[in-house]
């Protein structure tokens, strides 16, 4: 019961953010959390050269984190307080991938804990889930100075570890939050406004590009199409459809 009430509170919080009538289809919680299996951005392109297509050996998240160590593979290492690896269920059916840590994430060493992260938490709650049900990480693991966009060499240096994380978790669905995550994973420079809402495939996983929560904070009207994207994800995961 406590979990249901928590889901409902999160759901209503997202609804209040959304602003009433536009989200009438988000008004009911969508059933129990997903069972765990055993075991904002500037417009320039962020696409990096294609990654090696050889199949990755599956490693644990702990092993991948250990391999990163005190990573100095790109210049973002010089400005970080903490490396932000990722957090959540290592066996999640759903993974959210963002762009990179911001100031609060850099301080706490956790992904999506600032204002945009609070909105992401509400979005996850509106899907009838909790953060502990999913896994959350970023394309680059260290904060770009001044929250600038990650540069192609930084993305290229860090992205193999994102690929390894996704390969380790093996989710059914990856949600790419914002253009950097979507363009990096898809090797596609199409603007996020056109990528979003269209199912794609990433290494055998279904991938849904949608807007970054930071973008949604600046552009609240885009929450409605984002919610449509999340409903499509819920349908693939077998979550009950919200009733009108
Ligand atoms: S952003 Fe990635 S590659 Fe660059 S220093 Fe941090 S962990 Fe290493």
């Amino acid at each position: 019961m406590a979990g249901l009430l928590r889901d409902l509170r999160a759901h209503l919080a997202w609804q209040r953010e959304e602003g009433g009538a536009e989200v009438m289809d988000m008004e009911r919680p969508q059933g129990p959390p997903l069972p765990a299996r055993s075991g904002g951005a500037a417009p320039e392109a962020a696409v990096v050269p294609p990654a090696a297509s050889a199949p990755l050996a599956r490693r644990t998240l702990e092993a991948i984190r250990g391999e990163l160590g005190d990573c100095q593979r790109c210049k973002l290492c010089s400005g970080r307080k903490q490396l932000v690896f990722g957090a959540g269920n290592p066996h999640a059916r759903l993974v959210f991938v963002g762009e990179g840590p911001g100031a609060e994430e850099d301080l706490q060493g956790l992904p999506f804990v600032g204002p945009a992260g609070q909105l992401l938490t509400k979005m996850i709650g509106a899907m009838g889930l909790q953060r502990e049900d999913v896994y959350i990480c970023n394309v680059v693991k260290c904060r770009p100075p001044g929250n600038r966009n990650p540069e192609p060499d930084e993305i290229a240096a860090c992205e193999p570890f994102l690929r390894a994380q996704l390969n380790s978790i093996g989710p059914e669905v990856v949600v790419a939050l914002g253009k950097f995550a979507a363009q990096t994973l898809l090797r596609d420079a199409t603007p996020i406004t056109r990528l979003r809402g269209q199912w794609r495939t990433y290494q055998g996983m279904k991938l849904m590009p949608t807007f970054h929560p930071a973008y949604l904070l600046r552009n609240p009207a885009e929450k409605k199409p984002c919610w449509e994207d999340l409903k499509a994800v819920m349908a693939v995961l077998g979550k009950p459809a919200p009733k009108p």
Side-chain angles (χ1 to χ4, degrees):
M1 178 59 77
L4 185 61
L5 289 173
R6 188 167 51 241
D7 289 350
L8 182 57
R9 278 196 296 272
H11 185 86
L12 292 174
W14 159 265
Q15 182 185 347
R16 280 195 297 275
E17 289 271 345
E18 189 68 28
E22 284 193 333
V23 289
M24 292 301 289
D25 56 350
M26 300 170 58
E27 285 186 343
R28 290 173 177 79
Q30 295 83 43
L34 286 177
R37 296 169 306 162
S38 58
E44 71 271 17
V47 175
V48 296
S53 57
L56 290 169
R58 182 170 284 194
R59 290 169 287 161
T60 64
L61 291 174
E62 291 77 12
I64 299 163
R65 179 64 187 89
E67 186 179 329
L68 265 171
D70 182 29
C71 184
Q72 301 186 8
R73 291 171 177 83
C74 84
K75 57 186 177 296
L76 292 181
C77 67
S78 62
R80 72 173 180 233
K81 291 186 171 60
Q82 297 189 68
L83 189 154
V84 182
F85 180 67
N89 183 345
H91 308 293
R93 298 175 62 198
L94 173 61
V95 174
F96 290 90
V97 179
E99 173 181 326
E104 195 59 37
E105 289 78 12
D106 187 47
L107 276 174
Q108 296 190 34
L110 294 168
F112 280 92
V113 290
Q118 291 165 17
L119 178 57
L120 178 61
T121 301
K122 291 174 184 173
M123 294 159 62
I124 293 168
M127 299 174 76
L129 299 169
Q130 300 175 33
R131 282 179 67 116
E132 295 76 16
D133 298 319
V134 305
Y135 193 85
I136 305 172
C137 57
N138 286 299
V139 171
V140 295
K141 314 299 185 201
C142 303
R143 182 194 182 200
N147 289 343
R148 68 161 168 75
N149 297 323
E151 295 176 352
D153 62 315
E154 297 158 355
I155 295 172
C158 210
E159 194 251 351
F161 296 95
L162 170 63
R163 292 181 66 223
Q165 284 173 294
L166 292 174
N167 186 60
S168 173
I169 298 167
E172 291 166 50
V173 178
V174 176
V175 173
L177 297 168
K179 72 160 191 164
F180 275 94
Q183 293 179 344
T184 298
L185 291 171
L186 296 174
R187 301 297 195 272
D188 186 335
T190 303
I192 187 64
T193 48
R194 298 221 308 273
L195 286 174
R196 65 140 289 272
Q198 308 295 320
W199 281 112
R200 302 286 292 268
T201 301
Y202 175 80
Q203 297 189 350
M205 308 163 207
K206 292 178 75 72
L207 186 145
M208 173 60 78
T210 195
F211 293 125
H212 193 285
Y215 176 80
L216 297 177
L217 289 173
R218 298 193 300 271
N219 302 275
E222 301 292 359
K223 289 179 181 175
K224 186 175 177 63
C226 178
W227 177 237
E228 294 301 320
D229 302 343
L230 297 182
K231 284 197 297 185
V233 170
M234 293 164 63
V236 166
L237 295 174
K239 298 284 291 176
K243 296 174 182 171

